[in-house]
Amino acid sequence: MSETMRAAFVKAPFQVQLREVPIPEVKPGWILVKVEACGICGTDLHTLRSASDWSPLGHEIVGVATKVGAGVRSVREGDKVALESGSFCHTCAACRDGRVDLCNTGPNYWSNPTLGFAEYILAPEEGAVVFDGLEWEQAVLVEPMGVALDMVYTADIRPGHDVLVVGMGPIGLMAVALVRRVGAGRVYAAHSRRGRRMEAAKAMGADEVFCTQEWPISCFPYRKRRVAGGAPREHVVDRALVTAPPRVIPETLQVLNYGGILSFIGIDWGEGQKITIPADDFHFNKAQLRASFASPALYFPTCLQMLRDGWIASDLVISHVMPLERLEEAFILLRDDSANTLKVVIKP
């Protein structure tokens, strides 16, 4: 094995450097992973717009364990692994109370000098999930799929619920497929621009797909929904999942049925993160607004099995597979043609 590797560093505005850096030395409790694929996440684009200094990037990582440190028992050299972007510690009060989803002290790789857009990465044993039976281009979806699944769980979607998914990025598309699989009554998919993403939403199982430039979210003719003990309500949904920026949340709340739940992961910075909602309407509709924040990264074993079982058609989510030396081109493609560019996967 060579003593050096290629690793990418990024800086605003949309600059990428490939550097030759030392391959990390494995340490006790950690593993050295040869990166076979790393997906570009929407949050990576925020870094490309804001990072004032050169930074490593990439957290949707699958690869092969090439070395294991002392004390590692669950991973062997040669194993295919998917890397959680954060795990849980097992010892904090939240973990001991059975709420591992609230742990924020678990081991992770974020302090590494290089991340997923590199030929190798060091990862803690706790965050390495061994798998088989999947191609790299399938397995690389496990991290964003876990985010989509967390949204579904957070919204408490049950069979028969009518569901609106706003934002047809990769996570929104996978959310459409998941809510269809769990027995949603009618699935609506909304996106801001026509193009490949809207076509993929239909193929993923959405009953109706609409462009919000043509049909505002609050004006789309959703079907009537019954309120327990009351008359049907016009044009509402029981659950909403928002992967778009927060500014769409107030309008989406307007179409929630009585007792409806909105789960969101869409984020923004500065003024874009601020929203205003009418508190009385929210209160008297018994609505709930729930934040889905999949950290630590959970559900990897479940999502890997779902991928093996064909719950997600990876070819509908992944639009481009590109080598590491074309990383800057990949970022610009996502920035400039987001209507037709879906998940871009980098293969070092």
Side-chain angles (χ1 to χ4, degrees):
M1 179 188 295
S2 171
E3 295 182 352
T4 63
M5 67 176 186
R6 295 178 305 156
F9 296 82
V10 305
K11 180 181 177 181
F14 284 82
Q15 302 176 70
V16 176
Q17 278 188 359
L18 282 186
R19 301 177 187 172
E20 198 76 17
V21 299
I23 295 175
E25 291 289 333
V26 71
K27 54 188 179 181
W30 287 60
I31 62 174
L32 180 66
V33 176
K34 182 181 184 299
V35 178
E36 294 291 346
C38 183
I40 295 179
C41 174
T43 57
D44 294 336
L45 299 185
H46 290 294
T47 302
L48 267 293
R49 293 185 176 101
S50 61
S52 59
D53 203 356
W54 293 104
S55 305
L57 209 59
H59 62 270
E60 299 177 2
I61 308 164
V62 290
V64 177
T66 59
K67 291 184 180 180
V68 298
V72 172
R73 293 183 295 177
S74 62
V75 181
R76 296 179 296 181
E77 290 184 8
D79 281 345
K80 298 171 71 172
V81 293
L83 300 185
E84 296 173 338
S85 52
S87 191
F88 46 91
C89 72
H90 305 277
T91 58
C92 71
C95 286
R96 293 185 187 279
D97 282 341
R99 291 299 306 274
V100 297
D101 58 305
L102 298 181
C103 177
N104 59 11
T105 59
N108 60 72
Y109 51 64
W110 288 101
S111 61
N112 286 359
T114 61
L115 294 175
F117 296 129
E119 293 179 299
Y120 292 88
I121 184 172
L122 269 185
E125 175 189 10
E126 295 90 339
V129 181
V130 177
F131 72 92
D132 58 17
L134 290 168
E135 300 296 328
W136 298 119
E137 288 84 354
Q138 296 172 297
V140 75
L141 293 177
V142 66
E143 197 275 347
M145 186 178 177
V147 175
L149 185 59
D150 189 74
M151 286 190 73
V152 173
Y153 285 153
T154 299
D156 190 22
I157 294 171
R158 302 180 185 182
H161 279 157
D162 280 5
V163 181
L164 167 64
V165 183
V166 182
M168 290 298 104
I171 292 172
L173 288 172
M174 288 190 279
V176 166
L178 291 172
V179 298
R180 170 54 66 214
R181 285 277 193 159
V182 300
R186 196 159 188 82
V187 180
Y188 303 92
H191 194 64
S192 58
R193 284 184 288 176
R194 289 199 170 274
R196 184 172 179 175
R197 294 187 179 209
M198 291 184 64
E199 296 168 3
K202 192 70 175 178
M204 281 289 195
D207 296 293
E208 297 194 56
V209 181
F210 64 96
C211 176
T212 56
Q213 292 183 358
E214 302 164 10
W215 279 100
I217 291 170
S218 58
C219 297
F220 192 79
Y222 313 97
R223 68 175 177 173
K224 290 182 180 180
R225 301 299 292 149
R226 181 167 296 281
V227 177
R233 296 184 66 185
E234 296 276 2
H235 310 319
V236 292
V237 295
D238 302 299
R239 299 289 188 266
L241 308 179
V242 174
T243 72
R247 62 178 177 270
V248 308
I249 291 175
E251 185 180 11
T252 307
L253 285 170
Q254 294 177 36
V255 303
L256 276 187
N257 199 0
Y258 188 70
I261 298 172
L262 186 155
S263 170
F264 75 98
I265 63 163
I267 58 175
D268 207 340
W269 280 263
E271 292 299 311
Q273 67 181 304
K274 299 177 182 178
I275 62 173
T276 301
I277 61 173
D280 286 357
D281 293 347
F282 185 78
H283 170 80
F284 289 116
N285 198 39
K286 285 195 172 182
Q288 296 183 44
L289 177 61
R290 299 180 179 180
S292 170
F293 179 37
S295 178
L298 303 175
Y299 316 124
F300 269 42
T302 295
C303 290
L304 287 165
Q305 187 59 52
M306 287 176 171
L307 287 166
R308 279 190 288 265
D309 291 342
W311 281 48
I312 301 294
S314 59
D315 60 321
L316 292 177
V317 181
I318 298 172
S319 59
H320 297 76
V321 178
M322 304 171 76
L324 185 61
E325 55 266 25
R326 294 178 63 189
L327 181 59
E328 183 173 334
E329 178 186 345
F331 284 133
I332 293 172
L333 185 66
L334 279 164
R335 181 193 68 187
D336 294 345
D337 191 21
S338 61
N340 296 298
T341 306
L342 299 172
K343 175 64 70 180
V344 178
V345 173
I346 301 299
K347 298 193 74 173

